Amino acid sequence: MQCSWKSVVLLALASIAIQYTAIRTFSAKPFSSLCSFGPNPNTDLATSGPAVNCGLGALGGLGQETLEGLDRGCDEVLSSSSSSSFSLPSYNASRRTHILILATTRSGSSFVGQLFNQHPEVFYLFEPLYHVQSALLPRLAQSRNPAERRVMLGAARDLLRSLYHCHLNSLESYIRPHPTNHSTDKLFRRGASRSLCSPPVCEAPLGPGEQSLVLGDEGECVRRCGPLNVSLAADACREKRHAAIKTVRIPQVSDLRALVEDPRLNLKVVQLVRDPRGILASRIETFRDTYRLWRLWRATGRRPHNLDLGQINTVCEDFLSSVSTGLARPAWLRGRYMLLRYEDLARSPLQKTRDLYGFLGLVLDHSVEDWIVNNTRGSSDLSARQKFTTVRDSAANAENWRLKLSFDMVVYTQTVCQPLLELLGYKIVSHPGELRNLSYSLVEDRTFLPFL
């Protein structure tokens, strides 16, 4: 049978239409469901994590696994998606919002965490990545070795993804000793989370005169609640409308790109920054053994030759890189990033908290407002005696580092951190008298608007 050229053209067009329909159907599948996970015989799982297989061979099991089982190991896939034609779906404001407070130690992150911990509809976790660090890098508070950082970050991202989905059993792999029957008394700072110290997770009997279980401090939670049942904690997580996690163990916002671009997470990042001179002064007072040589420098006026200058250099390098990324407003951070200066929050806690909740699309509960009023008017003496308290005179605390550092220490810090200081609006001190004159603020009036 012979076909005319018109018939051939019609057949070709029909074939193209069929292929196009097939491709559209294929691409409409959830992106992560195209991936299967398993050990890679050519890599070491201890350092590289689970392998990702997004080849055509993975299509055989398409539709047989749920998204819930595919949370781990897709960092490489999701981070590379931005450079391809794959586009993320639009987000629904009514969806569950996941919040990550990105900070460094002694920058005010515990205070910011409480702004979410006090909200009745937020499930809050305080530093769950502590356990990842303790298991993988027990020798180091924060490794500066690139290879060790990659190991830590890969595990941290996987765990964060699981925790936001309320798969809290994933945390058990890093807790030492390993929980028995999903029960542990070793969760780091459990008492910092109201959700983990309240029914149904904690069923401690009410004391005399108590109408409800409201525990006054972290130690009381641990004493009265007993070991944590991780399964009950996971149930409590699922009951909340939102989830917030505070961490000082992710160096830069770019390390979170895979999570930010994950369409299942609806993740928003609040990057908390503070004047590095204030961070240094607070660390010297709090971590006395680690910063012993810094205290020696302050006491004698002579810088020890074996002083670890990297303790502050790394802070400024990470901050500068991370903030520069955020303020450059890359497309993948649109609607996902807000920069918050600790000093601004300390000066105007209620207004800045309203701004923060507005960016996140959350309703500011009166319980949060009440907590702010009650916890930002404490005495400076109290904050000096209790290093980890969130009760303090926040406005007075913002720049009191100027009374705790020697002029030489300030000069060194602002020299190595000058690009960061300029970027964030912190003024340079030029002489000792200016340093001690607290009536002259070293914080410029700057407005850092969320990237919407």
Side-chain angles (χ1 to χ4, degrees), residues 93-95 97 99 241-242 268 335 354-364 452:
S94 64
R95 289 179 55 195
T97 298
I99 306 153
R241 293 187 60 189
H242 312 287
K268 297 192 176 185
R354 293 188 185 106
D355 295 343
L356 180 59
Y357 268 70
F359 159 69
L360 297 169
L362 274 61
V363 176
L364 181 59
L452 301 176

Side-chain angles (χ1 to χ4, degrees), residues 43-59:
T43 58
D44 181 0
L45 283 178
T47 58
S48 65
V52 180
N53 175 16
C54 284
L56 294 179
L59 297 179

Side-chain angles (χ1 to χ4, degrees), residues 172 175 177-186 226-231:
E172 296 184 39
I175 297 177
H178 193 275
T180 302
N181 296 325
H182 304 293
S183 180
T184 180
D185 59 359
K186 298 300 182 182
L228 173 69
N229 185 309
V230 179
S231 297

Side-chain angles (χ1 to χ4, degrees), residues 55-98:
L56 294 179
L59 297 179
L62 198 63
Q64 299 176 10
E65 298 181 3
T66 65
L67 287 176
E68 296 289 330
L70 293 172
D71 284 335
R72 298 174 62 85
C74 252
D75 279 348
E76 294 295 328
V77 175
L78 292 171
S79 61
S80 64
S81 66
S82 62
S83 60
S84 69
S85 59
F86 177 71
S87 59
L88 300 179
S90 59
Y91 288 92
N92 185 339
S94 64
R95 289 179 55 195
R96 179 182 174 99
T97 298
H98 296 125

